[in-house]
Structure formats: C-alpha cells, structure tokens
Amino acid sequence: MPSDVGDTDDEVKLGDTSHFVDVDGSKSPAALGVLRGVIVVVGLVGLWEVVRLILRVDPLTMPSVASLWLKLMTRDINGDLFIFFLLKNMLVTGGGSVAGLCLGAFLGVVCGLLIAEKDLIRRSLLPLIVIAQTVPIVAIAPAVVLFFGVGTLSKAVVAAFLTFFPSAITTARGIQSVPGETIELMQTYNASSWAILIAVKLPYALPLIFVGLETSAAFSVVGAIVAELPFGSRNGLGVVILSSWQFYTIEPQSLYCTVLATCALGGIIVSFIRLAARLALGGRQNYF
Amino acid sequence: MEVGAQIRASGVSKVFPSQGGDLLAVDNVDLTIPAGQFVSIIGPSGCGKSTLLRMFADLESPSSGTIELGGISAAEARKARKYSFVFQAPTLLPWKSVLRNTALPLKILGVAKSERVSVAQEMLALVGLSGFEDRLPWQLSGGMQQRVSIARALTVRPPILLMDEPFGALDEITRDKMNQELLTLRKSQAQTVIFITHSISEAVFLSDRVIVMSARPGRIIADLLISLGSERTASVRLRPEFSECIKMIRGKLVDAYDSTKKSDLKPA
C-alpha cells in the first residue's frame, strides 16, 4: 500500500483497473488529510495572533480570531446567527458562481476546441479573447446588471466572462499537446477527424482542461460577487461585503467573516472540480 | 500465414517548399518490392528515407511519380487498411490498457468488442505479452511498449508493414532481442516489410534485401540481396558472410556521407 499521505498517493497498482475506487476507499490517508488540514488552520490562526500581538496591530486593522468567532455567533434582530446569515448569502452567490462556471466552462471548452482546430478562428478570435481579458470587469458590472437585471443571470454572466478564458486556453493547449505521430497513427487507420477528436484529442486534453476548470472555479466566485456590487442586489456575499465596508471602522469583524465565507465557497467549488477530475482521470496524473 | 503484397514506386520525387528555395528530399526513386520480401532502407540522417516511407503510407504525397501498394494507390491502400505503420515511438494512448491500445485499430474499424478482444489477445501472445493486457503503457519498459505497438499493427492483418526505425530508441541488447523476435514473428506472418533503420547490422540481420540511399536528395545508390538464409539466429552475426555484407554496406554508406560533405560545400 502507498505509504504517502493525502491525495498525492493515488498510485495505480499493477494490473489493477479499479484504482481510483481503491484510492478513495482507503481510510487512513483521508484521516491524515483531515489532520493535515487542521494543523494548517491552527498554524495560520496562531501566526495571525502572534503577528497581531507582537506588532501590537490596531484591532481595527487586525481583529482577533476570537472576536471573529464571537461575531459569527451574534444574532441579528430576527434572532438569526450571523454565521447562518453568511451561509444563506453563500448559497445565493454560489448559485450564480456555479451557473457562471458551467456556462463559461462550456463556452470556453467549445471555443478552445475551435481555436485548436481551426486556423482561421485562432487567428481572428484569439487576439480578441486575450484583449477582452483586460476589460476591468468591476467597471462594466453595472452595465451587465442593467442589461440582465438583478439576479442569478447577471452573476452567471460576469462569472462566465471570467471563467471562459482559462477554460478556452487550457483546452486549446491541451489539444495542441497531442503528439503529431499519434494523430498520424489514427490517419493510417483512416479514422475520421471526428473520431480522432473523440478518441485521442479530448482525452489527451482532459487533464489540462481540468486545470483550467480549477482556475475557473475560483474566478467564478469573484465574478458572482462583482455582479452583486452594483445597485439593486439584496442578497449575496457581495452585498454583505458592501455593507461591511460601511461599518468597517466600527466593526471590522463583519468584513473578515465575509471574506472567510467567500474563501470557503471557492474552496467548496474547487473541491467538487477536483472530485470530478479524480473520477474522470482515475490515476492518470501519474503518467502525464 | 498472412500473405504479403507487392509494393512499387516509379519515378517518385518529393520536394518540400522552404524559405531558401525548394528542398528536394527524394529524387526519382524506382523500387519494386515483391510480395513477402523484408526490405531495409538505410542511409544518412535526413536522406529522405522516412519521407519515402511516409509516401508509401500516404502520410505525404509524392511531388511526382506513382506509388502502388498491392496494385492500388497509396491513398486507396490507406483507406483499405492494406498496411500498418510502426513509428519510432510506441505512440500508445497513455490512458488505455495494453489490450485496449492493441485493439484500437479494430475499434476504429467498427469490429465487435468480443472479436476485438480475442484478436488483440492473439497478437499480444504473438509478441510475448500475454498476461500484460491490463497494464497501462507507463508500467511497461520501452521494449515492451514497442512490442505492443507491433501487436497493434498486426491486428488488422495487413499485407504490408511499414516500420520507421521501430527499435531506434532501444538499447543495443534490447534491440538485438527485438530483432530476433521480429524474425520469429515472421515465421507466421509473411507480410511485405519496409524497415527504416540507421543500424547496418540490424538491416543485414533482418532483411532479404537492403537498400542504401544517398544523402539529400535521397537516391537509391545500392540495392543488395542478403543471402543468409531464412533461419537466422544470433550465431548468424558471427558468420563471415554477415561481416562481408556489413563491410559492403558500410562502404556504400561512407560514399553516401561523403556526398553529403561535397553538397554542403557547394554554394546554395
């Protein structure tokens, strides 16, 4: 059995075709992973507190971890805990992020395919896509909200705008990374270009496409939040951030808690992408 | 016993357009290979021998001249799967098992799964890889990977095998072993084989006939029949005739390399 810790040890045993099931089923590395996570969190909290105390940082700039916890446990006028309030808003923002991620990733993968396969599209579309990346999304968010209204659609559109690029580029790169001889081999079998795409190019590109999706997943949360910043939104982490800005000098804990909630949301979406990658690729990371 | 097919090239030339003017890679090659013959083509690097092979496979098209495989054009032969091509790299799909890699050509052909599996298993047994069906390519050594690629080439039972330096990346001991296995394989498979190589001893050991090509532009400068008999084992390498063949081909190759130098000295 692999003696390594955590998720790096998905080594395929010789002759074992069901390797990924085996890896997911082994309990002790998972437990070690949790332990490692706890150690990292405790370490970060400790570092934060040590820096705060040694440098005597103003609590308005660096509130104590304990005060953040207390803030999470406070109740509003309706008697709801702040942590549940955050969770509710996480769900709202998360819906927009995931919708945008799906939309952006789908368009990105399709566009990446076209970029890799069609010279004309690569030459005409790629410069446009790259330049579009420099558009400050915060600046045009109001226009998007005006056009698509306050709600999931706007969030999805902005998130899709941010997630499109990594998905498209990694797909194109992945497809271009197929060895020329492998394509020629398929041609000697008289395989159609469609068969070559399905049987060779897409599977070759898959690990890289998942790298793009992971990057995109984090961007999608940023996109959804940006779409909540302009006028009109009532719910979502972006709205909570806006109101926390207003009260920052009185109570910085609210903003820090919201930022932590944002990180948690991004982490959850990235984990799902990783899970999907593991299911789709099995132990393939080993030989790429 | 698989039956071979005749290969014919008449007046075949290949010109690659390039910035400094057109590059003549293959110059007016006439070649007839009877069915079932094992022919090695040897020559200096960049002499166009791979280009010639790729034209037989319809991976390049000749600038002039005609190519026939078993009486039909190279393009038709490719569509009719008259040949299998073995590359220098094993070119296996890294995520597919040995069995699935071997069965790939049949899958593209649309052969039913049960038949695919049985043919692939048969061919893997031929190259001595029974029991390795479920392995993934990275779990095999370079020599074993190349054997998988040869098994894969045999699954469509092609009358012609085109091999582009298939053992070029292997160490010498493994290469000798693979050469021996290839000959053993040919006892049950009588394909016509064109085999590109850099190694003189490999060419002599394997072939019924060795063709020496000059430096660019590639022309046939020698065409030698190797009469070492059909029973060839490691001891053949120790026979005086074997050394004679090697010496003769080495002489021709030295001439070929000298012509490279002269053409390099000429102003472009």
Side-chain angles (χ1 to χ4, degrees):
Chain A
M1 281 305 287
S3 57
D4 205 353
V5 243
D7 50 8
T8 53
D9 56 359
D10 38 2
E11 182 183 347
V12 182
K13 292 191 296 302
L14 298 188
D16 184 359
T17 50
S18 58
H19 38 268
F20 48 82
V21 175
D22 187 68
V23 166
D24 286 348
S26 50
K27 290 285 181 293
S28 78
L32 282 171
V34 169
L35 184 65
R36 195 177 49 182
V38 168
I39 290 171
V40 167
V41 169
V42 169
L44 280 177
V45 167
L47 190 68
W48 176 270
E49 289 295 307
V50 165
V51 169
R52 203 172 62 81
L53 292 173
I54 288 181
L55 300 180
R56 293 164 191 274
V57 185
D58 183 353
L60 274 180
T61 313
M62 279 178 92
S64 71
V65 175
S67 72
L68 292 184
W69 176 252
L70 285 176
K71 172 65 191 168
L72 286 175
M73 291 302 136
T74 53
R75 291 174 190 279
D76 62 14
I77 324 161
N78 303 324
D80 291 334
L81 284 174
F82 186 62
I83 190 167
F84 284 127
F85 170 72
L86 280 181
L87 280 173
K88 258 193 325 204
N89 286 288
M90 265 170 80
L91 267 181
V92 172
T93 306
S97 309
V98 171
L101 178 62
C102 293
L103 182 67
F106 174 75
L107 292 176
V109 169
V110 169
C111 201
L113 277 178
L114 291 171
I115 287 172
E117 294 284 278
K118 305 284 175 206
D119 259 358
L120 187 70
I121 291 179
R122 175 164 53 245
R123 270 191 242 116
S124 54
L125 208 59
L126 195 54
L128 261 179
I129 294 174
V130 174
I131 290 169
Q133 280 305 295
T134 63
V135 171
I137 192 69
V138 181
I140 60 159
V144 175
V145 173
L146 257 185
F147 196 83
F148 292 102
V150 179
T152 308
L153 186 59
S154 283
K155 295 174 204 183
V157 167
V158 176
F161 184 83
L162 289 184
T163 56
F164 170 82
F165 187 68
S167 310
I169 289 300
T170 49
T171 304
R173 276 269 173 274
I175 288 195
Q176 285 166 343
S177 72
V178 180
E181 286 193 343
T182 305
I183 306 283
E184 288 186 337
L185 178 80
M186 298 296 284
Q187 285 166 351
T188 68
Y189 303 149
N190 197 26
S192 66
S193 33
W194 181 251
I196 296 179
L197 182 69
I198 298 297
V200 172
K201 289 181 176 172
L202 272 181
Y204 248 107
L206 212 50
L208 212 53
I209 291 176
F210 272 113
V211 172
L213 287 183
E214 223 174 277
T215 318
S216 298
F219 284 174
S220 72
V221 175
V222 175
I225 286 177
V226 165
E228 288 164 352
L229 292 183
F231 39 83
S233 290
R234 294 221 182 85
N235 293 307
L237 291 174
V239 177
V240 183
I241 287 174
L242 273 184
S243 61
S244 302
W245 278 352
Q246 287 174 353
F247 298 109
Y248 185 81
T249 47
I250 306 162
E251 191 197 42
Q253 284 83 1
S254 170
L255 184 65
Y256 277 102
C257 288
T258 316
V259 168
L260 287 177
T262 310
C263 295
L265 178 60
I268 290 167
I269 298 179
V270 168
S271 310
F272 274 107
I273 298 284
R274 289 211 171 153
L275 184 68
R278 178 172 277 207
L279 290 176
L281 301 176
R284 270 175 72 180
Q285 290 92 336
N286 283 332
Y287 44 88
F288 268 96
Chain B
M1 191 84 170
E2 310 291 333
V3 184
Q6 194 195 52
I7 303 174
R8 234 160 61 87
S10 35
V12 168
S13 298
K14 179 68 184 177
V15 179
F16 288 110
S18 75
Q19 282 188 326
D22 289 351
L23 194 78
L24 183 59
V26 175
D27 186 16
N28 197 24
V29 165
D30 287 304
L31 182 62
T32 303
I33 300 169
Q37 197 170 51
F38 193 118
V39 178
S40 286
I41 301 179
I42 195 165
S45 297
C47 76
K49 51 191 190 300
S50 282
T51 306
L52 184 62
L53 192 74
R54 291 168 57 82
M55 286 192 286
F56 284 124
D58 190 39
L59 291 173
E60 307 272 359
S61 47
S63 307
S64 62
T66 55
I67 287 173
E68 274 178 19
L69 279 72
I72 52 177
S73 75
E76 288 167 331
R78 179 172 67 84
K79 288 180 185 124
R81 271 87 161 183
K82 287 288 179 203
Y83 72 83
S84 280
F85 200 98
V86 179
F87 292 88
Q88 177 171 0
T91 51
L92 304 174
L93 301 181
W95 60 92
K96 281 191 190 286
S97 68
V98 164
L99 186 73
R100 280 160 174 265
N101 263 296
T102 311
L104 181 68
L106 298 175
K107 188 172 184 188
I108 306 272
L109 263 173
V111 172
K113 189 171 183 187
S114 59
E115 197 192 335
R116 280 203 312 257
V117 170
S118 75
V119 173
Q121 277 170 339
E122 184 191 331
M123 296 308 159
L124 283 171
L126 263 183
V127 297
L129 282 180
S130 289
F132 291 85
E133 288 88 349
D134 292 333
R135 304 277 175 104
L136 290 167
W138 64 272
Q139 297 170 322
L140 304 182
S141 68
M144 286 160 94
Q145 292 186 13
Q146 196 55 284
R147 276 193 262 171
V148 175
S149 101
I150 290 171
R152 178 181 61 191
L154 296 175
T155 51
V156 292
R157 303 184 192 278
I160 293 167
L161 269 181
L162 304 174
M163 308 178 92
D164 192 1
E165 293 185 49
F167 309 136
L170 305 179
D171 65 82
E172 193 154 354
I173 305 298
T174 312
R175 178 190 280 225
D176 285 352
K177 217 172 142 234
M178 297 291 290
N179 285 343
Q180 192 66 62
E181 285 178 13
L182 188 58
L183 284 185
T184 312
L185 199 63
R186 273 187 58 76
K187 285 180 181 158
S188 62
Q189 313 267 319
Q191 291 97 350
T192 316
V193 183
I194 304 184
F195 189 97
I196 307 285
T197 179
H198 273 124
S199 160
I200 304 175
S201 68
E202 182 175 63
V204 172
F205 183 71
L206 288 174
S207 315
D208 304 316
R209 180 180 174 193
V210 174
I211 285 166
V212 183
M213 282 180 76
S214 69
R216 196 160 48 218
R219 293 191 194 96
I220 294 176
I221 54 170
D223 188 343
L224 309 153
L225 285 175
I226 308 293
S227 37
L228 290 170
S230 57
E231 275 304 317
R232 297 187 194 181
T233 52
S235 63
V236 165
R237 296 174 198 274
L238 304 173
R239 275 162 56 184
E241 302 98 295
F242 190 82
S243 321
E244 274 305 306
C245 290
I246 292 212
K247 217 167 115 188
M248 189 193 271
I249 294 171
R250 190 176 295 276
K252 301 283 183 195
L253 268 176
V254 169
D255 294 347
Y257 276 94
D258 282 349
S259 70
T260 324
K261 274 190 196 146
K262 275 173 212 150
S263 65
D264 279 352
L265 287 174
K266 277 182 210 157

